[in-house]
């Protein structure tokens, strides 16, 4: 499902009989064009050059394997499982600007927790759009999980408060909260999200177990800017890279971790309930540079 994230890089190198400086320069350009930040691309190529010399690697396929290893090592610290609370419920706050894939990711995640035998509750705290509440309801029905909602326009903090009370009363295992991706202003949005995190902290006596930012992997630099803003506002615990099935520019993942130093917890690979995977550095590196 996950492949060819570095299509051009792979095609450039595969089958080359020897490695010259021209190829290394082209490699750097191809990495940058796949959304790898310039400084990271320069370091990657330098490390590849040094190791190729050390290990007497002289052809393209050997270089591809080298790059896979380097990228895997770079990404491994950012491969971490979802935090789960020892005292239920585990609370997951899903964040992200509009259209990145929040609601779809919530549905996929709820499905996966349900399949594993957990009792799941969705929380409709995107009260800014009436359609957002309806969408989440449809997903909750499909997944067969609980949902807590209020009227369109109600206070999201109050929705979350009610939901946490209900989750305790019902013995819910996992609570997944949908939030708005857009309000009248960006300032209002961030203020509201911070307020939600405070309600959770007050009710649980600890922060949310996960504050996940959903990013659209096809948006490159925008994803990075969103990452910076949300991280500085609420302190993210992880990233979700949605729509990785729709891009040949997987470099955004390298860019995000090198800049934010926040783990990538999940990746989205399509629109169906089953299209969600835990992030794996090894799989990612292999997919980026297919053999
Ligand atoms: N190909 C692909 N499409 C996805 C993926 N995740 C979500 N989508 C699609 O992206 C679009 C937006 O997804 P939503 O889940 O509604 O996004 P959202 O962040 O909740 O958007 P708002 O509620 O408008 O803020 C939908 O058409 C989804 O089907 C994915 O991993 N791959
Ligand atoms: Mg939504």
């Amino acid at each position: 499902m996950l492949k060819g994230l570095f299509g051009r890089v792979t095609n450039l190198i595969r089958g080359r009989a020897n490695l010259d400086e021209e190829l290394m320069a082209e490699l750097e350009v191809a990495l940058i064009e796949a959304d790898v930040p310039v400084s990271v691309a320069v370091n990657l190529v330098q490390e590849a050059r040094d190791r190729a010399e050390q290990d007497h690697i002289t052809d393209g396929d050997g270089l591809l394997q080298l790059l896979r290893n380097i990228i895997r090592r770079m990404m491994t610290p950012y491969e971490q499982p979802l935090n789960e609370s020892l005292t239920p419920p585990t609370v997951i706050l899903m964040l992200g600007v509009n259209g990145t894939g929040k609601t779809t990711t919530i549905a996929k995640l709820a499905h996966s927790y349900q399949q594993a035998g957990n009792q799941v509750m969705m929380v409709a705290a995107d009260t800014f759009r009436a359609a957002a509440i309806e969408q989440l309801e449809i997903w909750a029905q499909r997944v067969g999980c609980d949902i807590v909602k209020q009227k369109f326009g109600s206070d999201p903090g109050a929705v979350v408060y009610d939901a946490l009370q209900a989750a305790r009363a019902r013995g819910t295992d996992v609570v997944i909260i949908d939030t708005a991706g857009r309000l009248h202003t960006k300032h209002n949005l961030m203020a509201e999200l911070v307020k939600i995190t405070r309600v959770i902290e007050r009710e649980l006596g600890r922060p949310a177990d996960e504050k996940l930012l959903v990013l659209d992997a096809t948006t490159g630099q925008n994803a990075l800017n969103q990452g910076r803003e949300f991280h500085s506002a609420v302190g993210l615990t992880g990233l979700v890279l949605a729509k990785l099935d729709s891009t040949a520019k997987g470099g955004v993942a390298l860019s995000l971790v090198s800049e934010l130093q926040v783990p990538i917890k999940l990746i989205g690979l399509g629109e169906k309930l089953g299209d969600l995977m835990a992030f794996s550095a090894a799989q990612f590196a292999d997919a980026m540079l297919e053999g």
Side-chain angles (χ1 to χ4, degrees), residues 102-103 126 129 132 135 178-179:
K102 280 182 305 298
T103 306
D126 178 359
R129 292 186 306 120
Q135 251 165 9
D178 194 18
T179 59

Side-chain angles (χ1 to χ4, degrees), residues 192-267:
E192 177 176 295
L193 297 174
V194 169
K195 207 177 120 195
I196 292 176
T197 62
R198 298 227 172 96
V199 170
I200 296 171
E201 271 186 63
R202 205 170 54 225
E203 287 317 300
L204 292 180
R206 63 169 197 273
D209 301 292
E210 290 287 356
K211 289 174 272 184
L212 300 178
L213 178 63
V214 181
L215 295 166
D216 178 337
T218 66
T219 61
Q221 183 67 33
N222 280 338
L224 185 59
N225 292 337
Q226 291 157 23
R228 287 195 190 107
E229 272 175 48
F230 280 81
H231 193 36
S232 82
V234 303
L236 300 170
T237 59
L239 305 173
V240 179
L241 267 189
K243 311 188 196 181
L244 262 184
D245 55 307
S246 316
T247 180
K249 293 188 169 191
V252 68
L254 277 65
S255 153
L256 286 163
V257 302
S258 64
E259 171 86 19
L260 304 176
Q261 299 180 347
V262 167
I264 300 175
K265 300 243 163 157
L266 299 166
I267 59 175

Side-chain angles (χ1 to χ4, degrees), residues 2 68-80 264 267 278-288:
L2 178 68
R68 271 186 216 113
N69 291 340
I70 296 171
I71 289 174
R72 191 185 61 213
R73 252 196 305 119
M74 176 182 166
M75 299 304 283
T76 297
Y78 302 102
E79 169 190 320
Q80 287 172 29
I264 300 175
I267 59 175
F279 174 73
S280 146
Q283 272 176 12
F284 184 75
D286 287 351
M288 288 191 116

